[in-house]
Amino acid sequence: MTLSAVASSTSQTEHEVKLLREMLLIRYFEEKSAELYTQEKIRGFLHLYIGEEAVAVGAMQSLRPEDAVVSTYREHGHALARGLSADSIMAEMYGKLEGCSRGRGGSMHLFDARTRFYGGNAIVGGGLPLAVGLALADKMQARNQVTACFFGEGAVAEGEFHESINLAALWQLPVLFLCENNLYAMGTALARSESQTDIHLKAASYQVPSEAVDGMNVLAVEEATQRAAAAVRAGEGPYFLELRTYRFRAHSMFDPQLYRDKAEVEEWKKRCPIATLSQRLRQEGVLTDESLTRLEAEVWAEVDASVAFAEAGTWEPVEELTRFVYSERLAP
Amino acid sequence: MNTIKTTYREAVREAIREAIRQDSRVFLMGEDVGRYGGCFAVSKGLLDELGPERIRDTPLSESAFVGAGIGAAMGGMRPIVEIMTVNFSLLALDQILNNAATILHMSGGQFNIPLVIRMATGGGRQLAAQHSHSLEGWYAHIPGIKVLAPATLEDARGMLWTALEDPDPVLIFENALLYNLEGELPADAGPVGIDKAKVLRSGTDVSLITYGGSLYKTLDAAERLAGEGISAEVLDLRTLRPLDTPAILASVAKTHRAVIVDEGWRSGSISAEISTRLMEGAFYELDAPVARVCSAEVPMPYPKHLEQAALPQAETIVQTVRQLVGGHG
Amino acid sequence: MPSLGSDMEAGTLVEWLIKPGDIVKRGDIVAVVETQKGAIDVETFEAGVVEQILVPVGEKVPVGAVLALIRSEGEAAAAPPPAPVPVPERPQPQAPIVTPGRARISPAARKHAGELGVDLAGLTGTGPGGAVTLDDVERAAQSAKLKPPTAAERHAAMRQAIGAAMARSKREIPHYYLGTTIDMSRAMAWLQTENERRPITERLLHAVLLLKAVALAVRQVPELNGFWINGESRPSQDVHVGMGISLRGGGLVAPALHQADSRSLDELMAGLRDLVQRARTGSLRSSELSDATLTITHLGEQGVDTVYGIIYPPRVALVGFGRVLERPWSVNGKIESRPLLQATLAADHRASNGHRGGLFLTALDRLLQEPEKL
């Protein structure tokens, strides 16, 4: 499913087009989700990944099918890039039985056993100990696997971050900590909540190799995560990357963004990972206006198909309400 | 039958040892379980016997190591996480409630969490307000986990294996005053069931329903009541979630009176739940209102006389039963 | 008006950024809406030409209201069928225990039935599982009022109750019987003299002498005065003597004369007269019916010599008196005619034994030889 970049330039440009496509899928999927939310098809909370696509797409290139992914409530991008179908995610947000979590979870709780996608967590920082545990299981069973743990910079204020990274470092566990620093934890700017705003330095203080990465550049993200994942896979213990990025939209749908300037948003939009990559590919002649338009239309079609899939989906029967509280024993 | 003399502590230790020896996926992790030998000496000697891979000392990070237990369980291991006492478990409450109890459901049934968490519980050792909680009834409120309260040697020895085989998270509460309990066990004692209550003393005049640390006070009270001509039945709940409702109803259908002995604070306690189930399921069997003997609703005070006044006592149970039964005309 | 969250119900249009005729594309911000959280930009998801603004600036409209019309290429997708509204099913609690033969009567109903004197046996219940409820009891009381029991019905009920009590007594109480013959000459002579001094309305019956003597005698043998309950003797501090009174139409009650040992003969006589009258009119108090700590059956008027009685449970003794009859009696070696009375004691052998019972009869005899002291 994922290929690492290979030396040949033709493969490299093909690869970059693939990266662009994956980012476009996330972008259009999120925009469509916003529309559907205003029409009350999607309910609860909706946290959009628009602007941060380079992080999910770049990072997933370094993961193998046997690796594990732990994510947050802003997870649609991670889920799509990991390989969950747009159909299953859209159906999940509609609450339909055909969703990846049988409709039981919604936007914040996407789970998929096939791709080892362990959610989706509504508690900031709640997934970090889980990632440590998954990595512990791999190490104890001598499985050469990586657990990638995505979280926002808001999580580093939680005690669970410090406990988790300390434990991972102490026991030298194969966790790839991927901190998506988009400068705002809901409505609180980084400078107003952290005494030390260079987040990767915090990880370094736990004796964990750590770097800051330009999260708006998909190739930079890819390169850094390749190196980091390789180190983790080689048994060198956990690795920490601070991916500096920005969300172009509000924290969630019902957020008037009183905490930041529109001018600041416009500045960051100039660094849009999709715009910059597609522009460069056009300049290099890899893509033409037509081929780009065709690509965009293909991706929109995939998104529209997922909406149709979700619309046609079924509601889980109410009689089944109390299932999945405890495991169901298989009949002998 | 061959029996051995043992203690509750040794029975738990043997259960852990046996589980780790028999199943390569099982390991124990928690604070001071290795080098220190366990805060209550339960795991004494196990580090030397079984090695540091299987007996893991953790830093003081309840949230992280409980969450790691959850993740490790999802990753194919069968961890036994030891939280030193229920008092510290509050630091891991988010992991227990928002992850362990809910991931199976949130994932639509894809990921189960076969995790066991053991904790010491209970008051009575003058450890004051922050070290004397009995919160097993509180945890029993949560769907998605199971809550056990082994009070006998058989259960201390046998519940752990069954809990480890369970595909879902199981919390085992060991009342700290029971660790020194001495007695005899069959030499080949093994796993026991974890879903049924047990009548430890049969009786006809009143059902004394209890669990955990209060069991022996209740048995003591029953013995004294027998001397007064009152025949009390003692039901050891053994499991607080799921409650063995049929056993509770059957006992009271026989005796028509119930006293619930619960070391939790009275209001909103598990005794309130049991009382309500009796009202729902055995209303017409009751000859008297259901009575409860619980801890006084005060943070646990330090001096002995106040602490003992706060906790359920055999004498209080006896008096409560007398009031319930007395007054025949 | 878009929904932006489950707690958003409406929004106020504060600014339009478009006008009819403008061309818009997907994602353009077209208006600003004020909500409880602040001002939010509204984008259009449709591309096309703005045709009509429907909501003016300043108006508050609910979520879902159409704000403006945009003419676009092609038709919008057909609206999917509305989701069926699921009816949640309650998980069933543990099915309640139903013990066959055990009456299902709510505590409130039971209490009320006691207050109203409604007989619970045979009431059909309309509550859950056929339980008898307050309403059922009310209704039974109402219909009972409309149709009071006939005297025959009442008598039948009473005979049944007496029968049940007597059967139980014979079944459970190990009776022993002692009898003695009492020379009543002194007592009767005293009584005659006493009554001659009194107006007719204040004359004493010899039964009152017997009553007082029994009350005083039992103070000397207290284990005969009281109850046997739950396997143990419960002697009473007070002496309330119950006199057996027969009722017309059959039936027997034994209402208590309270504190009989400390009341004068006059008081006892007045009390007895009162009890008999009220017994016959059915206006005895329930405390009078249940308070007796031992009972007397006096059947002299019926021509009986000796009474072999059945103890009225849960008491432990019954004193029986026959008629006072002139009979030959040996006095100082010579045969004389004396008024003699057969007094018997039926007693519960769990609470007392023959020795003690005998002491009681001896005491009784002695008391009746000194009638002036009663």
Side-chain angles (χ1 to χ4, degrees):
Chain A
M1 174 183 66
T2 59
L3 296 168
S4 22
V6 180
S8 141
S9 64
T10 334
S11 309
Q12 174 61 20
T13 50
E14 272 170 18
H15 179 67
E16 288 180 16
V17 171
K18 173 173 109 67
L19 295 180
L20 178 64
R21 191 191 197 289
E22 288 186 21
M23 290 196 289
L24 282 170
L25 178 60
I26 297 172
R27 176 66 57 95
Y28 296 159
F29 185 91
E30 297 291 75
E31 286 182 357
K32 191 67 187 176
S33 299
E35 178 182 351
L36 293 166
Y37 190 93
T38 64
Q39 295 168 358
E40 301 186 270
K41 301 283 181 146
I42 299 174
R43 298 279 73 207
F45 286 146
L46 187 71
H47 305 93
L48 299 174
Y49 202 64
I50 293 173
E52 305 190 30
E53 296 87 349
V55 177
V57 171
M60 290 302 173
Q61 305 310 309
S62 57
L63 296 184
R64 298 181 184 163
E66 63 271 18
D67 293 332
V69 177
V70 175
S71 182
T72 68
Y73 50 74
R74 195 181 302 282
E75 59 175 332
H76 311 156
H78 306 132
L80 285 166
R82 180 57 175 164
L84 279 78
S85 70
D87 286 357
S88 71
I89 301 173
M90 189 60 78
E92 183 59 37
M93 292 201 290
Y94 266 60
K96 299 283 178 90
L97 190 55
E98 293 79 4
C100 53
S101 303
R102 285 179 75 97
R104 293 263 177 162
S107 164
M108 297 193 286
H109 303 299
L110 306 177
F111 286 82
D112 182 46
R114 185 184 59 89
T115 55
R116 295 201 76 207
F117 194 85
Y118 290 94
N121 205 301
I123 309 295
V124 173
L128 275 77
L130 296 184
V132 169
L134 286 163
L136 176 63
D138 283 340
K139 182 159 180 173
M140 289 182 80
Q141 292 172 86
R143 296 190 297 226
N144 195 11
Q145 293 169 184
V146 172
T147 300
C149 184
F150 291 92
F151 52 99
E153 87 288 346
V156 308
E158 292 280 357
E160 280 179 315
F161 165 74
H162 300 274
E163 292 187 27
S164 300
I165 197 161
N166 177 52
L167 195 55
L170 196 63
W171 289 356
Q172 288 290 287
L173 300 176
V175 184
L176 178 55
F177 289 100
L178 298 167
C179 178
E180 298 176 302
N181 179 3
N182 62 14
L183 300 178
Y184 293 92
M186 199 155 101
T188 303
L190 179 60
R192 297 181 61 235
S193 72
E194 288 295 325
S195 56
Q196 166 59 272
T197 54
D198 268 324
I199 293 170
H200 65 288
L201 294 182
K202 295 179 196 286
S205 79
Y206 289 101
Q207 305 293 318
V208 173
S210 67
E211 295 169 31
V213 180
D214 176 6
M216 302 309 272
N217 181 333
V218 66
L219 296 175
V221 173
E222 184 184 29
E223 188 273 331
T225 49
Q226 296 266 358
R227 269 187 302 103
V232 174
R233 219 183 288 284
E236 292 171 26
Y239 209 105
F240 183 96
L241 293 178
E242 176 194 342
L243 301 130
R244 294 178 171 168
T245 181
Y246 199 85
R247 52 168 167 83
F248 298 157
R249 288 217 177 215
H251 165 74
S252 67
M253 290 300 289
F254 202 1
D255 172 15
Q257 302 187 71
L258 305 173
Y259 47 85
R260 65 183 187 180
D261 241 341
K262 287 202 176 171
E264 178 187 288
V265 181
E266 292 310 310
E267 269 307 301
W268 277 89
K269 278 185 178 172
K270 293 178 188 167
R271 297 175 55 195
C272 170
I274 293 172
T276 50
L277 180 58
S278 67
Q279 193 174 44
R280 185 165 67 71
L281 291 173
R282 288 229 293 275
Q283 276 167 2
E284 290 172 6
V286 176
L287 284 177
T288 63
D289 282 350
E290 291 150 63
S291 60
L292 183 57
T293 309
R294 230 180 312 122
L295 181 62
E296 290 171 350
E298 258 174 47
V299 177
W300 264 118
E302 191 175 332
V303 172
D304 287 338
S306 76
V307 177
F309 178 81
E311 290 280 352
T314 48
W315 299 108
E316 189 175 7
V318 176
E319 295 73 43
E320 310 220 327
L321 171 64
T322 53
R323 287 181 73 189
F324 312 116
V325 178
Y326 298 102
S327 297
E328 290 162 9
R329 310 252 176 192
L330 297 165
Chain B
M1 150 143 65
N2 220 2
T3 62
I4 48 162
K5 243 174 78 75
T6 186
T7 63
Y8 186 106
R9 168 187 294 107
E10 285 163 348
V12 178
R13 183 183 308 141
E14 184 56 35
I16 296 171
R17 178 191 285 127
E18 175 190 63
I20 290 179
R21 284 229 173 92
Q22 300 213 357
D23 189 334
S24 59
R25 303 168 299 173
V26 177
F27 67 99
L28 174 69
M29 83 173 147
E31 293 161 7
D32 290 319
V33 297
R35 285 274 187 92
Y36 188 95
C39 172
F40 300 98
V42 170
S43 50
K44 182 144 128 7
L46 292 185
L47 175 61
D48 288 339
E49 256 182 74
L50 304 168
E53 275 289 297
R54 314 295 290 283
I55 306 289
R56 292 178 167 256
D57 281 323
T58 63
L60 276 67
S61 303
E62 280 76 6
S63 192
F65 67 75
V66 170
I70 299 168
M74 282 200 287
M77 304 299 286
R78 296 267 160 158
I80 304 168
V81 171
E82 178 174 311
I83 303 181
M84 196 178 276
T85 75
V86 69
N87 308 289
F88 313 150
S89 71
L90 305 176
L91 294 162
L93 199 45
D94 179 62
Q95 290 296 322
I96 295 171
L97 175 43
N98 276 325
N99 282 336
T102 54
I103 284 179
L104 179 72
H105 182 263
M106 291 193 296
S107 67
Q110 291 180 82
F111 298 117
N112 64 302
I113 317 287
L115 170 68
V116 172
I117 303 177
R118 289 177 40 248
M119 328 186 203
T121 183
R125 291 171 296 143
Q126 292 191 255
L127 298 181
Q130 294 178 336
H131 267 55
S132 306
H133 296 314
S134 286
L135 297 176
E136 41 273 53
W138 213 51
Y139 277 103
H141 182 59
I142 303 169
I145 58 172
K146 295 183 181 168
V147 175
L148 310 182
T152 60
L153 295 183
E154 289 73 25
D155 288 346
R157 177 69 181 85
M159 281 184 149
L160 179 65
W161 181 263
T162 316
L164 283 164
E165 287 195 312
D166 200 292
D168 300 314
V170 180
L171 274 52
I172 303 181
F173 289 89
E174 301 162 2
N175 191 291
L177 290 176
L178 295 180
Y179 284 126
N180 288 338
L181 182 72
E182 284 179 6
E184 306 234 327
L185 263 187
D188 60 350
V192 299
I194 58 172
D195 56 355
K196 297 251 183 289
K198 199 166 174 189
V199 174
L200 291 186
R201 185 187 175 118
S202 196
T204 54
D205 293 333
V206 61
S207 296
L208 303 180
I209 301 166
T210 189
Y211 66 92
S214 301
L215 176 64
Y216 295 96
K217 299 176 193 175
T218 308
L219 285 169
D220 193 19
E223 187 60 31
R224 283 160 57 171
L225 289 165
E228 298 177 21
I230 297 173
S231 162
E233 175 149 299
V234 176
L235 183 70
D236 178 6
L237 290 168
R238 303 176 68 242
T239 301
L240 300 185
R241 186 170 190 108
L243 277 173
D244 185 354
T245 310
I248 295 167
L249 298 183
S251 176
V252 177
K254 188 170 69 145
T255 66
H256 309 295
R257 293 180 199 86
V259 177
I260 307 164
V261 185
D262 173 6
E263 195 178 317
W265 293 302
R266 185 184 194 77
S267 301
S269 62
I270 194 87
S271 68
E273 174 63 25
I274 296 166
S275 178
T276 299
R277 291 197 191 192
L278 282 169
M279 188 274 300
E280 287 169 347
F283 184 70
Y284 299 101
E285 301 299 330
L286 289 169
D287 247 353
V290 174
R292 301 186 278 169
V293 176
C294 301
S295 284
E297 291 190 36
V298 59
M300 194 61 76
Y302 157 70
K304 182 169 179 146
H305 69 294
L306 289 183
E307 181 176 44
Q308 292 303 312
L311 290 168
Q313 302 293 351
E315 179 57 35
T316 323
I317 302 169
V318 168
Q319 283 169 13
T320 306
V321 172
R322 276 198 207 122
Q323 276 169 11
L324 211 58
V325 167
H328 276 173
Chain C
M1 179 64 67
S3 167
L4 297 169
S6 58
D7 49 346
M8 177 178 166
E9 289 164 357
T12 306
L13 213 304
V14 293
E15 190 183 346
W16 278 111
L17 301 169
I18 52 166
K19 56 189 190 304
D22 286 350
I23 294 173
V24 292
K25 58 183 199 307
R26 186 189 169 87
D28 285 350
I29 308 297
V30 297
V32 179
V33 157
E34 186 68 39
T35 68
Q36 68 246 38
K37 280 194 174 182
I40 305 231
D41 291 340
V42 174
E43 66 190 290
T44 171
F45 296 104
E46 298 296 328
V49 180
V50 178
E51 208 167 66
Q52 193 185 0
I53 307 286
L54 294 174
V55 174
V57 167
E59 188 163 308
K60 185 171 176 184
V61 294
V63 162
V66 181
L67 302 177
L69 295 177
I70 296 174
R71 189 170 20 95
S72 57
E73 317 268 338
E75 293 296 307
V85 178
V87 177
E89 203 190 275
R90 269 165 215 282
Q92 290 302 315
Q94 169 70 30
I97 292 239
V98 180
T99 302
R102 187 171 167 89
R104 293 164 70 86
I105 303 167
S106 88
R110 210 182 271 277
K111 180 170 164 218
H112 200 47
E115 288 161 2
L116 297 182
V118 170
D119 182 13
L120 287 166
L123 270 189
T124 32
T126 59
V132 173
T133 64
L134 264 182
D135 276 348
D136 296 327
V137 168
E138 273 296 329
R139 260 182 273 115
Q142 290 303 320
S143 68
K145 270 199 217 133
L146 301 170
K147 191 178 51 69
T150 63
E153 282 171 11
R154 273 188 283 114
H155 285 136
M158 176 182 283
R159 272 200 297 277
Q160 206 166 21
I162 294 169
M166 292 294 100
R168 179 176 151 210
S169 176
K170 267 291 167 180
R171 213 172 38 236
E172 290 176 12
I173 302 179
H175 286 64
Y176 69 91
Y177 294 96
L178 302 174
T180 193
T181 307
I182 300 180
D183 182 353
M184 289 290 280
S185 40
R186 285 223 182 89
M188 302 307 278
W190 179 87
L191 196 63
Q192 192 172 4
T193 317
E194 231 347 87
N195 279 343
E196 276 166 9
R197 311 197 277 108
R198 286 158 171 258
I200 294 184
T201 49
E202 285 169 30
R203 284 190 183 159
L204 302 168
L205 293 176
H206 79 274
V208 162
L209 292 178
L210 299 178
L211 210 158
K212 183 72 183 280
V214 164
L216 292 174
V218 88
R219 285 241 297 265
Q220 298 177 36
V221 189
E223 62 263 38
L224 293 175
N225 180 54
F227 310 97
W228 185 266
I229 291 174
N230 267 359
E232 60 183 14
S233 164
R234 306 260 183 97
S236 171
Q237 302 279 44
D238 307 302
V239 180
H240 307 312
V241 177
M243 280 298 283
I245 300 172
S246 69
L247 305 175
R248 276 182 209 101
L252 180 73
V253 290
L257 279 158
H258 290 83
Q259 325 285 359
D261 56 327
S262 52
R263 284 157 79 172
S264 69
L265 293 176
D266 284 318
E267 286 168 4
L268 289 172
M269 189 66 220
L272 187 59
R273 212 182 270 126
D274 172 53
L275 280 182
V276 170
Q277 192 215 356
R278 284 195 288 119
R280 297 227 162 105
T281 57
S283 41
L284 288 167
R285 275 170 243 122
S286 60
S287 63
E288 287 165 333
L289 286 170
S290 58
D291 277 8
T293 55
L294 85 162
T295 48
I296 294 176
T297 299
H298 185 202
L299 295 172
E301 284 182 7
Q302 283 72 17
V304 164
D305 282 337
T306 319
V307 174
Y308 305 103
I310 302 179
I311 297 167
Y312 207 88
R315 293 151 196 87
V316 295
L318 181 111
V319 183
F321 293 110
R323 58 188 168 164
V324 176
L325 192 62
E326 289 283 335
R327 281 213 153 108
W329 193 238
S330 172
V331 182
N332 294 329
K334 292 217 304 267
I335 303 292
E336 288 181 15
S337 178
R338 288 290 165 101
L340 301 176
L341 171 66
Q342 300 295 324
T344 53
L345 171 70
D348 184 336
H349 211 301
R350 298 171 298 186
S352 64
N353 57 37
H355 173 73
R356 300 293 293 166
L359 288 176
F360 168 78
L361 288 176
T362 308
L364 183 65
D365 193 346
R366 222 176 264 136
L367 285 161
L368 285 167
Q369 300 314 313
E370 293 180 302
E372 66 282 359
K373 289 196 184 151
L374 287 173

